[in-house]
Amino acid sequence: MNAKQFLGAISAMILKIALAVVIIVVVFRLAVSAYDFGYQVFADIPVSSGEGRIVNVVVSEGQSSLELAKLLEQKGLINNAYVFYIQERLSDYKDMIQPGVYELSTAMNSEEMLEALCSVDEDGEE
């Protein structure tokens, strides 16, 4: 084996090792992201502890769950709209959100918010 072939073989091996490292790093990051997303969905941790901040939310007729989740994220009631959307889809409150005006708190977890958003008095108000 001459020097040219030897350098070519070493270069090919280095390239294969670099490609394997890149693939491992990408798979690891995807796994960490998937775990973090799943943890957020099932941990159901409120944005703030203590009493929190009260925020008025208007839910309109025909508003989708994802649109509502994005609104809640804009108002600082949740950290991630997609996490809330998945929580709503997996909960007992799926497709039960009622239109109206609600007072929600940053100290509420997603389950408590969904309960409030789905409950209606006899008068038709929350």
Side-chain angles (χ1 to χ4, degrees):
M1 181 185 272
N2 64 25
K4 197 173 195 178
Q5 291 175 328
F6 181 71
L7 288 176
I10 289 180
S11 297
M13 183 182 297
I14 289 173
L15 185 61
K16 288 178 185 177
I17 291 172
L19 183 61
V21 168
V22 167
I23 291 171
I24 289 170
V25 168
V26 167
V27 168
F28 178 77
R29 287 187 181 238
L30 287 173
V32 168
S33 295
Y35 174 81
D36 183 51
F37 186 81
Y39 178 80
Q40 289 177 39
V41 168
F42 294 106
D44 201 17
I45 299 170
V47 171
S48 63
S49 58
E51 291 189 29
R53 177 177 52 89
I54 302 294
V55 177
N56 286 328
V57 176
V58 178
V59 178
S60 57
E61 186 75 36
Q63 188 173 25
S64 74
S65 300
L66 186 56
E67 290 170 339
L68 174 61
K70 289 178 180 180
L71 176 67
L72 296 176
E73 184 179 26
Q74 285 175 348
K75 292 189 174 260
L77 290 163
I78 59 174
N79 290 322
N80 187 323
Y82 297 105
V83 169
F84 184 85
Y85 174 73
I86 296 297
Q87 289 170 327
E88 187 269 338
R89 302 314 293 167
L90 295 175
S91 75
D92 294 335
Y93 303 107
K94 179 182 177 189
D95 297 327
M96 294 176 55
I97 296 173
Q98 301 295 316
V101 178
Y102 299 93
E103 284 187 353
L104 302 176
S105 170
T106 57
M108 297 170 89
N109 63 26
S110 297
E111 183 78 16
E112 293 167 336
M113 285 185 207
L114 285 168
E115 183 179 348
L117 291 166
C118 295
S119 64
V120 176
D121 288 342
E122 299 81 35
D123 300 333
E125 297 180 17
E126 72 160 317

